[in-house]
Short mmCIF file of all heavy atoms in Angstrom, two decimals:
data_model
loop_
_atom_site.label_atom_id
_atom_site.label_comp_id
_atom_site.label_asym_id
_atom_site.label_seq_id
_atom_site.Cartn_x
_atom_site.Cartn_y
_atom_site.Cartn_z
N PHE A 264 -10.68 -101.46 95.57
CA PHE A 264 -9.68 -100.84 94.69
C PHE A 264 -9.22 -101.90 93.70
O PHE A 264 -8.70 -102.95 94.10
CB PHE A 264 -8.51 -100.30 95.50
CG PHE A 264 -8.96 -99.29 96.50
CD1 PHE A 264 -8.99 -99.59 97.86
CD2 PHE A 264 -9.41 -98.05 96.08
CE1 PHE A 264 -9.44 -98.66 98.77
CE2 PHE A 264 -9.86 -97.11 96.99
CZ PHE A 264 -9.88 -97.42 98.34
N SER A 267 -7.81 -103.91 87.15
CA SER A 267 -8.41 -103.97 85.81
C SER A 267 -9.49 -105.06 85.78
O SER A 267 -9.63 -105.84 86.72
CB SER A 267 -7.35 -104.29 84.76
OG SER A 267 -6.66 -105.48 85.12
N LEU A 274 -8.53 -118.43 81.52
CA LEU A 274 -7.46 -119.11 82.26
C LEU A 274 -7.74 -119.27 83.75
O LEU A 274 -7.04 -120.00 84.43
CB LEU A 274 -6.14 -118.33 82.11
CG LEU A 274 -5.64 -118.11 80.68
CD1 LEU A 274 -4.42 -117.20 80.67
CD2 LEU A 274 -5.30 -119.45 80.02
N ASN A 304 -2.67 -99.00 95.42
CA ASN A 304 -2.97 -97.63 95.01
C ASN A 304 -4.47 -97.51 94.78
O ASN A 304 -5.15 -98.47 94.48
CB ASN A 304 -2.09 -97.19 93.83
CG ASN A 304 -2.60 -97.67 92.51
OD1 ASN A 304 -3.78 -97.58 92.23
ND2 ASN A 304 -1.71 -98.21 91.69
N LYS A 368 -5.14 -116.08 108.71
CA LYS A 368 -4.74 -116.05 110.13
C LYS A 368 -5.86 -116.69 110.95
O LYS A 368 -7.04 -116.60 110.59
CB LYS A 368 -4.44 -114.63 110.61
CG LYS A 368 -5.51 -113.63 110.29
CD LYS A 368 -5.05 -112.21 110.58
CE LYS A 368 -6.06 -111.22 110.04
NZ LYS A 368 -5.61 -109.94 109.69
N LYS A 376 -15.39 -113.95 108.94
CA LYS A 376 -15.61 -113.28 107.64
C LYS A 376 -15.23 -114.20 106.49
O LYS A 376 -15.89 -114.27 105.46
CB LYS A 376 -14.76 -112.01 107.55
CG LYS A 376 -15.39 -110.83 108.23
CD LYS A 376 -14.60 -109.59 107.89
CE LYS A 376 -15.08 -108.42 108.73
NZ LYS A 376 -14.29 -107.23 108.51
N HIS A 428 0.19 -124.36 90.42
CA HIS A 428 1.60 -124.32 90.80
C HIS A 428 2.44 -123.91 89.58
O HIS A 428 2.38 -124.58 88.55
CB HIS A 428 2.01 -125.71 91.30
CG HIS A 428 3.39 -125.76 91.87
ND1 HIS A 428 3.81 -124.97 92.92
CD2 HIS A 428 4.47 -126.51 91.52
CE1 HIS A 428 5.07 -125.24 93.20
NE2 HIS A 428 5.50 -126.17 92.37
N GLY A 433 14.91 -124.63 87.82
CA GLY A 433 15.92 -124.27 88.82
C GLY A 433 15.34 -123.81 90.15
O GLY A 433 16.07 -123.64 91.12
N LEU A 441 8.61 -131.25 94.01
CA LEU A 441 7.34 -131.62 93.35
C LEU A 441 6.70 -132.81 94.05
O LEU A 441 5.48 -132.86 94.25
CB LEU A 441 7.59 -131.92 91.87
CG LEU A 441 8.05 -130.71 91.04
CD1 LEU A 441 8.53 -131.14 89.67
CD2 LEU A 441 6.92 -129.69 90.90
N LEU A 442 7.56 -133.75 94.46
CA LEU A 442 7.07 -134.93 95.18
C LEU A 442 6.46 -134.52 96.53
O LEU A 442 5.37 -134.95 96.90
CB LEU A 442 8.27 -135.85 95.40
CG LEU A 442 8.01 -137.34 95.56
CD1 LEU A 442 7.18 -137.88 94.41
CD2 LEU A 442 9.35 -138.08 95.62
N LEU A 465 6.96 -113.54 79.99
CA LEU A 465 6.25 -112.56 79.19
C LEU A 465 5.95 -111.26 79.95
O LEU A 465 5.61 -110.25 79.35
CB LEU A 465 4.94 -113.17 78.66
CG LEU A 465 5.11 -114.36 77.71
CD1 LEU A 465 3.77 -114.91 77.24
CD2 LEU A 465 5.96 -113.98 76.51
N ARG A 471 10.30 -103.50 83.18
CA ARG A 471 11.10 -102.42 82.57
C ARG A 471 10.35 -101.10 82.69
O ARG A 471 10.91 -100.09 83.09
CB ARG A 471 11.37 -102.74 81.10
CG ARG A 471 12.36 -103.89 81.00
CD ARG A 471 12.90 -104.09 79.58
NE ARG A 471 13.79 -105.23 79.59
CZ ARG A 471 13.72 -106.26 78.74
NH1 ARG A 471 12.80 -106.28 77.80
NH2 ARG A 471 14.57 -107.25 78.83
N ALA A 487 6.77 -127.86 77.17
CA ALA A 487 5.55 -128.65 77.42
C ALA A 487 5.91 -130.02 78.01
O ALA A 487 5.22 -130.54 78.89
CB ALA A 487 4.77 -128.81 76.12
N LEU A 498 1.50 -135.85 90.72
CA LEU A 498 0.48 -136.91 90.83
C LEU A 498 1.03 -138.12 91.59
O LEU A 498 0.34 -138.72 92.41
CB LEU A 498 0.01 -137.36 89.44
CG LEU A 498 -0.91 -136.43 88.68
CD1 LEU A 498 -1.45 -137.14 87.45
CD2 LEU A 498 -2.06 -135.92 89.53
#
Side-chain angles (χ1 to χ4, degrees):
F264 302 107
S267 55
L274 302 174
N304 81 45
K368 51 189 171 206
K376 278 190 189 176
H428 187 58
L441 295 169
L442 206 53
L465 297 180
R471 290 191 182 129
L498 286 189

